[in-house]
RNA sequence: GUGCCAGUAGCUCAGUAGGAUAGAGCAACGGACUUCUAAUCCGUCGGUCGGGUGUUCGAAUCAUCUCUGGCACGCCA
């Protein structure tokens, strides 16, 4: 018999599930060996064993379908094979109390309660570090998100990308990666050109009248452009009227761009996002990195020249078409800069893993960028793009346009003022990135009680209230070693402990899928289990031994909730 | 036209390395506060998993076809 390596099932201190899985796998493997030795089953190759938690508690705490999977190989009916295995199992030294066979051939494992007590012990011992796992093994990962054009305020797409990216970064950090949060400032190129044209038009309109100055067709129509022009005039007057167009645009851009970038920084900061790196696109042009990147591609035969432009050779990279890198006017495209930027991330700065968050409207860019990195020897697996579906705003039941060009959009700053950071972040992290998000402004602005963020925060405040009341009587949680946890016999108590024990597992799954929204839903489950417990059991006023046992449970629940809310940067209030 | 994402309860959504009777919140209805915060809890109602075919012990999950919605296909980013 060959036992395949159990990938990722290394000993993880904080994760009781890992320990249990190891025990189940080990017990089952030994049973296979034992059966083989006796000749009751032929030699077989075991696939990686999947251990799951059955939906129904009656089917045990954990189960495996291994008997069904290898029934053919063993030339035995699944149930018969399961029976043979079970008869050879030795549970000594494990949490396993008994096993059962059910359905088409599932082997169900029933555990004794020690694992629940151990789970609480781990939480109390690790406290704010509970949930940390070593999935990443210190690998350097760069998470780039928002990266909005600094030509205007942040919109709802940025808001979703911001919440998602920041939480992905938080989860990966918890999962043992060395995370860098990064914002790519598009302070060069065409959109800056249009920004300058728009500012100039508003500037001139101020003096010459709106009807006498044509506004650029693809310009930025937002009010903020008019404000910039007005503010500039207030400060510096009409001096630019006598300058050349070029000088005028440069002066206006030099004035307005830093203000926009500063506003973006402020807004994101009040949204709870702190970046490690603000990376300027302009710097890539100025340092010659873009030029060098294009030269590299040229020298290695990845480019074509046609129609007076330099193109990325699509055929050679397995793409459907060629892409322009340098326009016929000699100016590199956004794509050229983006290739240089990612080359910088991988080659210059040596990240092991690069994650970009893009709105789904950029999905066409994914294959291109991934292909464009192969000439630099970057493994495609190291470059991941998380696409999130765009946000649709609803007002009075109607879709509200959110383009910053229309000037009618509600900005992230507006949203934060209206609904607050907690509700906004929670809301944007409730759904998987792939699902469309309809943001009902009326509902969000209402700050109604059905907002799930209050539900979770209330659970935390309730716990703090219990702890506070007991503290007033000089009572504080004791170390589990001094507490009789076997008194926690109620259904609600057990369910709550089980839920708390799943946290490290949730971190692993969130990190692997890059879906932190599952953490948001998980913490709602924790809160729900706590509220049920709260309504079924009392802490204060119970007989002392029981009170101290419940106090451990309550304190552990507080730790988990606080822990997650801190990770997703939402307030954990002690009073509400 | 081609490609990407989505379609699961009245509404908003979970659930996809195939598993046992498909879940939650909201809404609706009925209950629970002299006791640590009722912003809570308990219960009831609610389903052709868009549709068809296939793969197999077993499909919301995989393959294929099809319908519907959103998005992308630029010397824009």
């Amino acid at each position: 018999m060959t036992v395949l390596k159990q990938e990722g099932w290394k000993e993880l201190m904080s994760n009781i599930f890992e320990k249990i899985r190891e025990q189940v796998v080990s017990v089952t493997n030994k049973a296979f060996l034992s059966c083989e030795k006796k000749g009751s089953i032929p030699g077989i190759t075991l696939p990686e064993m999947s251990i799951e938690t059955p939906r129904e508690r009656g089917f045990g705490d954990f189960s495996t379908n291994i008997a069904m999977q290898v029934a053919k190989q063993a030339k035995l009916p699944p149930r018969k094979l399961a029976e043979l295995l079970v008869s050879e199992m030795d549970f000594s030294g494990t949490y396993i109390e008994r096993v059962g066979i059910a359905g088409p051939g599932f082997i169900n494992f029933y555990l004794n309660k020690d694992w629940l007590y151990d789970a609480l012990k781990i939480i109390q011992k690790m406290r704010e570090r509970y949930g940390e796992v070593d999935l990443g093994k210190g690998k350097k990962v760069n998470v780039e998100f928002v990266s909005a054009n600094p030509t205007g305020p942040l919109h709802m797409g940025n808001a979703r990308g911001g919440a998602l990216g920041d939480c992905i970064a938080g989860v990966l950090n918890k999962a043992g990666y060395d995370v860098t949060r990064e914002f790519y400032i598009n302070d060069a190129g065409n959109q800056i050109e249009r920004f300058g044209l728009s500012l100039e038009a508003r500037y001139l309109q101020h003096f010459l009248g709106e009807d006498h100055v044509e506004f650029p067709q693809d310009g930025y129509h937002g009010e903020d452009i008019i404000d910039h022009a007005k503010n500039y005039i207030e400060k510096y007057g009409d001096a630019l009227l006598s300058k050349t167009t070029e000088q005028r645009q440069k002066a206006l851009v030099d004035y307005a761009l830093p203000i926009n970038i500063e506003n973006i920084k402020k807004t994101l900061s009040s949204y709870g996002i702190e970046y490690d790196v603000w990376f300027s696109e302009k710097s890539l042009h100025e340092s010659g990195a873009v030029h060098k990147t294009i030269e590299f591609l040229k020298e290695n035969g990845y480019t074509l020249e046609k129609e007076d432009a330099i193109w990325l050779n699509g055929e050679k990279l397995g793409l459907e078409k060629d892409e322009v890198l340098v326009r016929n006017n000699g100016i590199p495209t956004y794509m050229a800069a983006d290739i240089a930027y990612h080359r910088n991330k991988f080659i210059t700065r040596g990240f092991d893993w690069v994650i970009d968050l893009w709105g789904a409207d950029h999905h066409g860019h994914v294959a291109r960028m991934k292909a464009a990195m192969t000439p630099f020897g970057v493994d495609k697996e190291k470059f991941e793009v998380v696409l999130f579906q765009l946000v649709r705003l609803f007002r009075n039941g109607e879709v509200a346009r959110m383009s910053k060009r229309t000037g009618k959009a509600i900005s992230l700053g507006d949203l934060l003022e209206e609904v607050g950071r907690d509700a906004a972040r929670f809301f944007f992290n409730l759904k998987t990135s792939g699902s469309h998000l309809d943001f009902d402004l009326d509902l969000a602005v209402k700050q109604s009680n059905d907002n799930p963020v209050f539900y979770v925060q209330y659970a935390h405040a309730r716990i703090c209230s219990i702890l506070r009341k007991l503290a007033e009587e000089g009572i504080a949680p004791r170390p589990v070693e001094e507490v009789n946890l076997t008194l926690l016999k109620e259904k609600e108590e057990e369910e709550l402990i089980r839920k708390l024990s799943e946290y490290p597992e949730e971190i692993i799954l969130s990190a692997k899928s890059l879906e932190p929204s599952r953490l948001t839903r998980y913490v709602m489950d924790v809160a729900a289990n706590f509220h049920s417990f709260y309504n079924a059991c009392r802490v204060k006023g119970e007989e002392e031994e029981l009170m101290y046992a419940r106090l451990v449970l309550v304190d552990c629940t507080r730790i988990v909730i606080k822990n997650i809310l801190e990770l997703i940067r939402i307030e954990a209030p002690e009073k509400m």
Side-chain angles (χ1 to χ4, degrees):
Chain A
M1 186 183 83
T2 316
V3 178
L4 296 183
K5 221 173 78 199
Q6 305 294 335
E7 277 300 326
W9 289 6
K10 310 265 155 52
E11 180 77 28
L12 292 168
M13 252 311 284
S14 73
N15 193 351
I16 195 104
F17 276 55
E18 295 294 328
K19 194 170 174 185
I20 293 165
R21 268 198 294 256
E22 272 176 15
Q23 292 182 357
V24 169
V25 168
S26 161
V27 162
T28 310
N29 279 343
K30 281 180 188 157
F32 265 105
L33 280 169
S34 186
C35 286
E36 247 174 63
K37 211 175 276 176
K38 283 190 175 172
S40 52
I41 59 169
I44 53 178
T45 304
L46 284 182
E48 181 162 330
M49 203 179 297
S50 93
I51 309 293
E52 43 195 71
T53 53
R55 187 167 288 122
E56 295 285 326
R57 198 47 47 72
F59 292 135
D61 299 294
F62 292 86
S63 75
T64 179
N65 61 352
I66 192 72
M68 277 128 67
Q69 283 188 315
V70 299
K72 253 183 198 165
Q73 263 196 84
K75 301 191 173 67
L76 284 167
R79 282 193 72 107
K80 178 70 188 167
L81 175 57
E83 278 167 29
L84 286 170
L85 289 172
V86 164
S87 68
E88 290 297 325
M89 284 182 178
D90 175 15
F91 308 141
S92 54
T94 72
Y95 292 119
I96 303 165
E97 196 169 71
R98 64 191 173 89
V99 291
I101 299 165
F106 290 101
I107 301 173
N108 297 328
F109 296 82
Y110 298 79
L111 309 187
N112 64 41
K113 296 280 161 49
D114 289 347
W115 76 278
L116 295 172
Y117 309 145
D118 284 352
L120 289 179
K121 194 184 286 182
I122 289 168
I123 298 170
Q124 200 186 53
K125 208 168 136 194
M126 296 192 70
R127 304 192 72 82
E128 69 276 3
R129 298 194 59 183
Y130 177 59
E132 286 182 14
V133 293
D134 193 21
L135 190 67
K137 306 198 177 349
K139 270 203 238 167
K140 279 181 68 182
V141 55
N142 181 291
V143 184
E144 181 217 323
F145 56 103
V146 183
S147 298
N149 281 342
T151 50
L154 297 167
H155 55 64
M156 286 305 116
N158 301 138
R160 186 177 193 183
L164 182 61
D166 195 45
C167 290
I168 284 177
V171 165
L172 291 179
N173 183 48
K174 201 87 182 167
Y177 289 88
D178 177 7
V179 182
T180 297
R181 287 173 168 86
E182 183 153 324
F183 188 111
Y184 183 51
I185 308 169
N186 301 125
D187 53 0
N190 229 309
Q191 74 284 352
I192 294 298
E193 201 84 1
R194 285 212 305 267
F195 187 50
L197 282 167
S198 307
L199 286 166
E200 181 188 32
R202 293 305 188 203
Y203 180 89
L204 294 176
Q205 279 177 349
H206 178 85
F207 296 105
L208 309 173
E210 243 177 79
D211 300 335
H212 296 86
V213 181
E214 200 182 338
F215 195 79
Q217 215 173 10
D218 55 355
Y220 295 104
H221 289 80
E223 297 268 335
D224 52 305
I225 301 291
I226 299 173
D227 291 340
H228 279 312
K230 271 191 193 149
N231 292 339
Y232 184 92
I233 291 161
E234 250 173 56
K235 236 175 156 176
Y236 304 107
D238 62 357
L240 292 182
L241 284 174
S242 57
K243 306 277 185 178
T244 64
T245 274
E246 207 174 302
Q247 289 170 324
R248 207 153 44 217
Q249 286 177 19
K250 183 174 185 310
L252 287 163
V253 168
D254 284 349
Y255 166 78
L257 198 59
I259 293 175
N260 275 358
I261 292 171
E262 204 42 52
N263 283 337
I264 286 173
K265 285 187 180 180
K266 267 189 213 149
T267 304
L268 288 173
S269 175
S270 65
Y271 196 31
I273 299 175
E274 300 297 338
Y275 284 96
D276 301 300
V277 176
W278 293 80
F279 197 102
S280 154
E281 178 185 352
K282 203 171 168 187
S283 75
L284 285 170
H285 293 279
E286 288 173 349
S287 70
V290 175
H291 178 73
K292 278 182 208 151
T293 299
I294 294 166
E295 286 305 308
F296 179 91
L297 292 170
K298 260 195 206 165
E299 282 163 19
N300 290 278
Y302 288 99
T303 58
L304 301 168
E305 289 195 30
K306 57 179 183 186
E307 297 158 29
D308 297 325
I310 298 171
W311 302 66
L312 188 68
N313 187 332
E315 199 186 339
K316 185 153 180 179
L317 292 166
L319 295 169
E320 283 180 13
K321 35 179 202 154
D322 305 326
E323 301 292 336
V324 174
L325 292 177
V326 182
R327 303 185 181 93
N328 59 13
N329 60 9
I331 297 172
T333 59
Y334 171 84
M335 172 117 191
D338 218 12
I339 295 171
Y341 177 42
H342 285 83
R343 182 187 177 211
N344 175 283
K345 287 187 194 174
F346 282 111
I347 312 298
T348 310
R349 287 188 281 162
F351 283 103
D352 301 306
W353 194 17
V354 167
I355 299 172
D356 284 18
L357 276 97
W358 299 347
D361 53 340
H362 289 75
H363 69 77
H365 196 50
V366 177
R368 288 202 287 274
M369 275 307 298
K370 285 194 172 186
M373 292 324 288
T374 56
F376 301 98
V378 173
D379 186 350
K380 275 183 188 172
E381 310 238 310
K382 294 172 119 190
F383 183 23
E384 190 127 17
V385 179
V386 175
L387 295 173
F388 55 93
Q389 293 296 323
L390 294 184
V391 179
R392 282 195 309 179
L393 291 172
F394 278 79
R395 196 193 289 282
N396 303 323
E398 283 177 7
V399 179
R401 292 287 302 272
M402 49 174 286
S403 164
K404 72 171 89 170
R405 310 250 184 98
T406 66
K408 288 177 192 163
I410 177 168
S411 70
L412 173 56
D414 299 333
L415 184 79
L416 291 176
E417 240 171 68
E418 288 173 13
V419 307
R421 169 176 120 186
D422 290 349
R425 288 189 68 118
F426 205 93
F427 197 99
F428 281 121
N429 255 308
L430 217 40
K431 294 169 187 181
T432 53
S433 50
S435 69
H436 291 93
L437 181 52
D438 289 343
F439 200 113
D440 186 334
L441 287 169
D442 305 314
L443 188 73
V445 165
K446 224 192 292 171
Q447 199 161 349
S448 62
N449 286 344
D450 50 343
N451 193 327
V453 68
F454 294 117
Y455 183 83
V456 175
Q457 290 179 321
Y458 184 52
H460 186 265
R462 262 185 159 177
I463 292 170
C464 290
S465 174
I466 295 174
L467 296 174
R468 203 162 43 232
K469 282 267 157 54
L470 289 173
E472 282 166 13
E473 298 175 15
I475 298 166
R478 290 178 174 170
V480 281
E481 290 80 6
E482 300 168 22
V483 172
N484 183 5
L485 294 175
T486 64
L487 296 173
L488 300 176
K489 288 182 194 141
E490 297 299 324
K491 184 177 77 196
E492 289 82 2
E493 295 169 323
E494 193 180 314
E495 290 302 313
L496 181 54
I497 302 171
R498 279 176 191 275
K499 186 54 75 178
L500 298 179
S501 74
E502 290 168 10
Y503 180 44
E505 194 71 3
E506 287 295 326
I507 291 288
I508 291 172
L509 292 170
S510 302
K512 281 186 174 172
S513 61
L514 298 178
E515 284 289 1
S517 63
R518 69 176 297 143
L519 271 190
T520 316
R521 289 187 296 270
Y522 169 73
V523 77
M524 286 169 70
D525 280 349
V526 174
N529 277 312
F530 171 75
H531 285 311
S532 293
F533 159 82
Y534 183 91
N535 277 276
C537 309
R538 289 191 54 79
V539 183
K540 184 168 174 263
E542 284 290 347
E543 181 278 322
E544 186 169 298
E545 252 196 310
L546 178 59
M547 180 191 70
Y548 275 108
R550 285 183 174 163
L551 198 47
V552 168
L553 175 55
V554 164
D555 197 40
C556 286
T557 307
R558 180 189 61 79
I559 289 168
V560 172
I561 292 177
K562 179 92 187 288
N563 203 320
I564 296 172
L565 290 182
E566 252 169 32
L567 194 160
I568 58 183
R569 301 251 164 89
I570 285 172
E571 204 66 33
E574 297 188 357
K575 278 182 185 174
M576 281 176 82

